[in-house]
């Protein structure tokens, strides 16, 4: 059971950090985060059942979502039970770990921009992408011939009237956020860059108009993060265990 206290209480032993990874989820950016923080951690993998998370994840957190991070430390009293903190939601995981370990944080003058972008990533940027990916799967799904034109008409209407303008506004906002700095909040990587890794990389080849010519700063930024040693280590690590799940 999760402790409501701070799992990183003073102790001689190092905390045991476990990233609970559900296949085809957004957890890879948390691997990168942990590598950037220089932490020792384990990855526990879970396979989907009928495209849904397995019940084992609900045993860790009631929503059964991924990523989840558990941090377990020995009891501060002899013979006591270990203390386990369960972290859910990517932006909360990023915020908690960066502040706990005092790394990947912005300079004081960029704190407001940092907080806004940290929440913008999941609050405003990711939902339209998710809707678009779902609608594309509906549009391409096998349906009876006599209703196929109806589903395509509905998807196209939502795409052109809502999604495309939203994508454009969001991409332009982020493009402008990178005009004067190497990364989103200055010239060093912060938690905000961690948060945008998954959505911006997942858009390549999936969102019309999202290309290097139109958004050169976003693609430059992707090139910068992909060169980082911690990113390379994270990619190698995820590729190794994803192969075992096929």
């Amino acid at each position: 059971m999760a402790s409501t206290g701070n799992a990183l209480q003073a102790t001689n032993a190092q905390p045991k950090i476990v990233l609970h990874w559900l296949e085809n989820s957004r957890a890879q950016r948390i691997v990168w985060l942990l590598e950037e923080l220089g932490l020792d951690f384990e990855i526990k993998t879970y396979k989907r059942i009928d495209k849904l998370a397995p019940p084992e994840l609900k045993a860790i957190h009631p929503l059964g979502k991924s990523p989840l991070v558990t941090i377990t430390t020995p009891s501060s009293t002899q013979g006591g039970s270990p203390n386990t903190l369960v972290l859910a939601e990517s932006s909360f995981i990023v915020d908690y770990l960066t502040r706990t370990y005092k790394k990947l944080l912005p300079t004081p003058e960029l704190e407001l921009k940092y907080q806004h972008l940290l929440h913008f990533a999941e609050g405003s940027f990711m939902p339209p992408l998710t809707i678009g990916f779902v609608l594309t799967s509906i549009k391409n799904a096998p349906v009876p011939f006599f209703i196929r034109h109806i589903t395509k008409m509905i998807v196209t209407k939502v795409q052109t009237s809502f999604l495309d303008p939203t994508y454009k506004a969001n991409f332009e906002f982020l493009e402008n956020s990178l005009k004067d700095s190497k990364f989103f909040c200055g010239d060093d990587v912060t938690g905000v860059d961690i948060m945008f890794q998954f959505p911006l990389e997942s858009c390549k080849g999936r969102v019309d108009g999202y290309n290097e010519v139109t958004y050169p700063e976003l693609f430059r930024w992707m090139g910068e993060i992909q060169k980082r040693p911690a990113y390379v280590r994270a990619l190698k690590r995820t590729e190794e265990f994803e192969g075992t799940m096929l």
Side-chain angles (χ1 to χ4, degrees):
M1 179 175 292
S3 168
T4 56
N6 192 330
L8 300 182
Q9 58 185 282
T11 175
N12 292 328
Q14 290 296 313
K16 179 182 179 182
I17 301 175
V18 179
L19 169 61
H20 300 267
W21 174 294
L22 177 66
E23 64 176 339
N24 300 321
S25 70
R26 307 174 195 176
Q28 58 262 47
R29 60 185 164 187
I30 305 302
V31 181
W32 178 31
L33 167 68
L34 294 167
E35 290 286 353
E36 286 282 358
L37 293 174
L39 301 175
D40 291 328
F41 63 98
E42 300 176 10
I43 299 176
K44 186 173 181 180
T45 60
Y46 301 82
K47 289 187 71 68
R48 292 181 182 270
I49 301 173
D50 295 328
K51 298 184 179 182
L52 300 176
E56 290 90 338
L57 274 176
K58 284 195 173 183
I60 302 168
H61 189 278
L63 294 178
K65 301 290 186 180
S66 176
L68 294 173
V69 172
T70 54
I71 306 175
T72 304
T73 55
S75 172
S76 57
T77 60
Q78 187 174 3
S81 300
N83 300 289
T84 298
L85 180 69
V86 178
L87 305 177
E89 298 296 338
S90 295
S91 59
F92 177 65
I93 293 171
V94 169
D95 194 45
Y96 179 88
L97 292 178
T98 54
R99 295 192 185 282
T100 296
Y101 290 98
K102 297 178 173 57
K103 293 181 180 180
L104 307 182
L105 294 171
T107 56
E109 61 270 22
L110 291 173
E111 177 66 26
L112 287 179
K113 179 181 181 181
Y114 175 85
Q115 285 294 329
H116 173 230
L117 289 176
L118 193 71
H119 295 288
F120 175 80
E122 290 288 285
S124 295
F125 189 75
M126 194 63 207
L129 293 177
T130 302
I131 294 171
F133 297 158
V134 171
L135 289 178
T136 297
S137 66
I138 293 173
K139 184 177 180 179
N140 297 329
V143 295
F145 173 78
F146 59 89
I147 65 169
R148 189 178 305 160
H149 70 288
I150 299 176
T151 59
K152 289 187 176 182
M153 181 179 63
I154 294 172
V155 170
T156 300
K157 181 65 175 177
V158 174
Q159 185 77 45
T160 56
S161 63
F162 170 67
L163 292 179
D164 288 345
T166 301
Y167 293 159
K168 186 175 185 294
N170 286 345
F171 287 141
E172 288 179 350
F173 171 69
L174 293 178
E175 176 78 4
N176 290 329
S177 296
L178 287 166
K179 295 246 184 214
D180 299 320
S181 58
K182 187 175 181 181
F183 299 104
F184 279 111
C185 289
D187 291 327
D188 293 315
V189 164
T190 66
V192 164
D193 299 288
I194 302 290
M195 285 300 299
F196 279 107
Q197 175 268 328
F198 175 83
L200 285 174
E201 288 192 344
S202 67
C203 287
K204 290 191 296 184
R206 302 176 74 178
V207 175
D208 290 341
Y210 180 62
N211 55 65
E212 191 170 3
V213 174
T214 308
Y215 303 107
E217 292 298 327
L218 288 174
F219 278 76
R220 175 196 59 76
W221 170 84
M222 280 190 282
E224 292 288 350
I225 67 171
Q226 289 166 1
K227 291 186 296 187
R228 294 183 65 82
Y231 183 97
V232 174
R233 291 195 304 271
L235 182 62
K236 181 179 179 181
R237 190 162 181 178
T238 56
E239 285 177 344
E240 286 174 354
F241 71 75
E242 276 192 328
T244 66
M245 299 182 71
L246 297 178

